[in-house]
């Protein structure tokens, strides 16, 4: 019989959202008339921008014509999209990132989960706690055991400090899921300094960069001096343009960013990632890449702004509603997530049950994102306006 990868057995048995769905299902079957409002899962609810639909429709027509039909595309992604990303997300903001340093994918989850493959199995990892579970789980699956947790608490403004010991890989996420908080330039400069001193690589997840509204918060880690020497950046069209079901994201790996072999030889990480992608990935669909590229025009930018503003008004409504109901809230200013302290020191799962039973509102228990998430709870602003307002009305009453 084939032996399994036993590292999978070290993962938590129940995926967080499966357990939430189980509890909601039981409640709904016991209370069939209850109108439950779901502000739990981080998935968007508004339709795709028109510019994306138009571009995808045009691309569909191209696929039906022998002259313009496309088969396998470049593993790194089409140049038309990589050039637009380099221009609009980096050059226009004064940042030096070229199309050759961008790798298109079918979303950030795969990129964040797969990137660890190009690093040694004995790498020591640092992850924030609480955190998006993919960073940790993908390293556990690979068999890495040296994992340092970086507590993110109200006391440190949910901005993790570098550890005393040396680590090789550091996962940072800003704006953060689940806390909805961001890392400022000083915090990132501190991490870049740490990475340089310790020969570490920062894996910077900026999936929610488009939600940053405050001018002094960096949208990209490359806004901070020295980042190109130590950091890989992940971005996604999922929350930027409603692509959660459409699927497109990308990774930036600067030309000169290197890792070392056991004998100390420096190897560009970009070459390893290209090798990995061309072996295991056959590119994101042409139609989807055309749709993604459409956000890079004045009209496209206006349409995604309307989408993001919609969710951020929801975030404002949630923040105001929770504050008025006496909760202590964090996040929700530069991110679509609101992180609240559970009242009366309730555990986050007990609070989940109470919110569901008394108010018929579903959120996400903070403990599901790491031990420092205990005593906290996440609500998302991705619901419809109607549901967001109705949820806050219930809490008020
Ligand atoms: N990174 C973070 C922090 C996320 O919260 C998510 C999705 O929720 C992702 C990455 C993955 O996004 P996608 O795979 O849809 O691009």
């Amino acid at each position: 019989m084939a032996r399994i990868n036993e590292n999978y057995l070290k993962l938590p048995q129940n995926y967080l959202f499966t357990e939430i769905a189980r509890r909601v299902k039981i409640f709904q079957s016991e209370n069939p008339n209850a109108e439950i409002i779901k502000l739990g899962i981080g998935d968007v609810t508004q339709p795709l921008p028109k510019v994306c639909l138009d571009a995808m429709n045009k691309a569909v027509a191209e696929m039906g014509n022998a002259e313009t039909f496309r088969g396998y595309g470049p593993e790194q992604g089409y140049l038309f999209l990589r050039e637009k990303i380099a221009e609009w997300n980096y050059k226009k903001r004064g940042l030096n990132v070229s199309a050759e340093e961008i790798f298109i994918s079918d979303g950030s989850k795969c990129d964040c989960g797969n990137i660890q493959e190009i690093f040694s199995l004995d790498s020591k990892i640092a992850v924030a706690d609480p955190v998006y579970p993919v960073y940790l789980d993908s390293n556990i699956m690979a068999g890495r055991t040296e994992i340092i947790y970086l507590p993110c608490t109200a006391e440190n403004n949910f901005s993790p400090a570098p550890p005393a010991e040396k680590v090789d890989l550091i996962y940072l996420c800003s704006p953060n899921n689940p806390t909805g908080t961001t890392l400022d330039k000083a915090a990132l400069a501190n991490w870049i300094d740490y990475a340089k001193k310790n020969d570490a690589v920062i894996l910077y997840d900026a999936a929610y960069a488009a939600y940053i509204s405050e001018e002094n918060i960096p949208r990209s880690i490359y806004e901070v001096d020295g980042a190109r020497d130590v950091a890989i950046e992940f971005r996604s069209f999922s929350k930027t343009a409603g692509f959660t079901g459409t699927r497109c994201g990308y990774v930036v790996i600067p030309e000169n960013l290197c890792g070392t072999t056991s004998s100390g030889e420096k190897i560009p990480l970009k070459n390893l990632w290209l090798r990995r992608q061309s072996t295991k990935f056959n590119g994101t669909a042409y139609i989807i890449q055309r749709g993604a590229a459409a956000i890079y025009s004045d009209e496209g930018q206006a349409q995604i702004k309307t989408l993001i503003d919609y969710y951020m008004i929801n975030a404002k409504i949630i923040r105001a509603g929770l504050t008025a109901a006496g909760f202590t809230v964090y996040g929700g200013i530069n991110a679509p997530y609101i992180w609240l302290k559970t009242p009366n020191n309730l555990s986050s799962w007990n609070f989940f049950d109470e919110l569901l039973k008394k108010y018929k509102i579903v959120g996400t228990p903070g403990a599901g994102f790491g031990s420092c998430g205990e005593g906290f709870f996440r609500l998302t602003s991705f619901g419809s306006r109607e549901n967001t307002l109705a949820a806050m009305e219930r809490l008020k009453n």
Side-chain angles (χ1 to χ4, degrees), residues 17 90 106 119 181 189 196 241 259 265 269 276 283 287 311 337 343 345 350 353 356 362 371 376:
F17 292 103
Y90 296 103
D106 57 359
F119 296 98
T181 53
K196 287 194 171 180
E265 188 191 349
L269 294 177
R276 190 258 171 219
I287 297 164
Y311 295 128
Y337 296 117
N345 287 325
N350 283 347
D353 290 333
L356 177 61
V362 179
S371 61
F376 288 90

Side-chain angles (χ1 to χ4, degrees), residues 2-17:
R3 286 269 309 275
I4 61 155
N5 175 351
E6 291 184 31
N7 295 317
Y8 278 65
L9 305 181
K10 298 177 194 158
L11 296 167
Q13 272 304 302
N14 232 347
Y15 184 56
L16 173 63
F17 292 103

Side-chain angles (χ1 to χ4, degrees), residues 151-227:
C152 296
T153 59
E155 289 68 39
N156 66 13
N157 266 330
F158 304 97
S159 179
E165 65 263 71
K166 174 182 162 39
V167 300
D168 305 297
L169 297 175
I170 303 140
Y171 288 86
L172 295 177
C173 179
S174 174
N176 186 259
N177 177 10
T179 60
T181 53
T182 49
L183 300 174
D184 61 19
K185 274 196 176 157
L188 289 178
N190 198 20
W191 274 108
I192 291 166
D193 185 48
Y194 171 91
K196 287 194 171 180
K197 287 188 178 135
N198 291 281
D199 275 334
V201 171
I202 296 173
L203 303 166
Y204 189 73
D205 186 348
Y208 298 94
Y211 286 78
I212 297 174
S213 60
E214 292 179 317
E215 260 319 303
N216 59 336
I217 302 296
R219 270 79 175 155
S220 161
I221 193 166
Y222 304 121
E223 289 178 37
V224 186
D225 284 347

Side-chain angles (χ1 to χ4, degrees), residues 42 107-109 132 135 173 177 205 207-208 236 238-239 247 337:
S108 276
K109 191 183 208 176
Y132 179 56
Y135 320 138
C173 179
N177 177 10
D205 186 348
Y208 298 94
S236 169
S238 283
K239 311 295 161 71
R247 313 301 306 142
Y337 296 117

